[in-house]
Amino acid sequence: MGRQYSTLTDEDMEFIKLQKVFYIASASSREVNLSPKGYDSIRVIDGKSVLFLDYPGSGDRTARDIREGGDVTLMFTAYTGKPSILRLFCKGQIIEKTDHRFTELLGHFTGCDERLIRRILIFDIYTVERSCGKSVPIMKFVEERRDLIDATSKLRDAGTLMKFIEEHKRPPVLKSPPLIQQ
């Protein structure tokens, strides 16, 4: 049985720093979205808020769900060491590059190329949940994939990154599942 509380502990904050991959799930009036995330893209600001560097991608469901007032869950899982799962149940805020807070918030991250970032997301935590994670396999981290950074850099260098972001502002519409005949 997991335990729930309202604010990240120091142990939780350290756990988040150690994870090489985490997951963002979001939902609004449409499908539930779940995306794995990597890179050095997450920062704990305090016990109630987390920042996320949002790189361009093929869809934009998390931002859509935040705009529609939907909830977001971040999940961090230990793949090495003691088993543990940490979930952060949140509401999100979108900080576009034009927002006066963008530069200040970007200062929490070092070594990232600001030109490659689509936006920053702030996750305001309303519940923290810890559970055992005893069924999660032990896995070894080998290296980060550079594919997204490289592809985004090529778009930036070609002068087409903003066009790509604009074209992928709306996630693709899912096809409805076929009706099951009984």
Side-chain angles (χ1 to χ4, degrees):
M1 180 84 172
R3 58 187 175 99
Q4 292 183 354
Y5 40 101
S6 61
T7 304
L8 291 170
T9 66
D10 290 342
E11 179 185 346
D12 296 333
M13 293 181 209
E14 188 59 32
F15 182 74
I16 290 169
K17 284 182 198 175
L18 296 173
Q19 304 317 306
K20 299 293 187 184
V21 65
F22 62 98
Y23 303 87
I24 297 178
S26 61
S28 57
S29 62
R30 295 179 183 86
E31 72 281 347
V32 175
N33 176 52
L34 176 63
S35 297
K37 301 296 180 183
Y39 299 138
D40 188 21
S41 60
I42 193 101
R43 289 291 181 280
V44 175
I45 299 305
D46 56 39
K48 297 292 280 181
S49 51
V50 175
L51 298 179
F52 171 66
L53 287 180
D54 186 25
Y55 287 91
S58 59
D60 206 6
R61 287 186 173 99
T62 303
R64 177 204 60 200
D65 292 341
I66 290 170
R67 282 187 193 98
E68 292 183 4
D71 286 5
V72 178
T73 300
L74 306 181
M75 186 179 83
F76 302 86
T77 304
Y79 292 108
T80 61
K82 180 183 172 188
S84 187
I85 296 172
L86 178 68
R87 290 180 182 88
L88 311 181
F89 297 90
C90 314
K91 287 293 189 179
Q93 298 178 51
I94 298 171
I95 309 299
E96 300 289 356
K97 287 184 169 185
T98 55
D99 189 305
H100 71 281
R101 299 173 290 172
F102 181 84
T103 303
E104 176 189 339
L105 295 173
L106 189 64
H108 290 277
F109 299 88
T110 56
C112 68
D113 185 341
E114 175 182 343
R115 299 169 297 171
L116 303 181
I117 306 302
R118 177 169 41 189
R119 64 178 67 93
I120 295 174
L121 302 178
I122 301 175
F123 295 114
D124 299 310
I125 301 164
Y126 58 83
T127 301
V128 177
E129 183 179 81
R130 271 281 189 170
S131 56
C132 69
K134 291 178 181 177
S135 68
V136 175
I138 296 172
M139 297 191 295
K140 181 179 176 183
F141 174 75
V142 177
E143 64 184 340
E144 288 184 348
R145 295 178 193 263
R146 292 230 11 117
D147 300 46
L148 179 61
I149 298 290
D150 293 345
T152 306
S153 296
K154 285 179 186 176
L155 291 170
R156 177 206 58 214
D157 295 347
T160 58
L161 180 56
M162 294 314 295
K163 180 180 181 222
F164 177 88
I165 290 171
E166 189 62 33
E167 289 172 350
H168 292 86
K169 247 184 180 166
R170 290 179 181 74
V173 176
L174 297 180
K175 294 180 174 85
S176 297
L179 295 175
I180 298 173
Q181 300 292 325
Q182 293 191 7

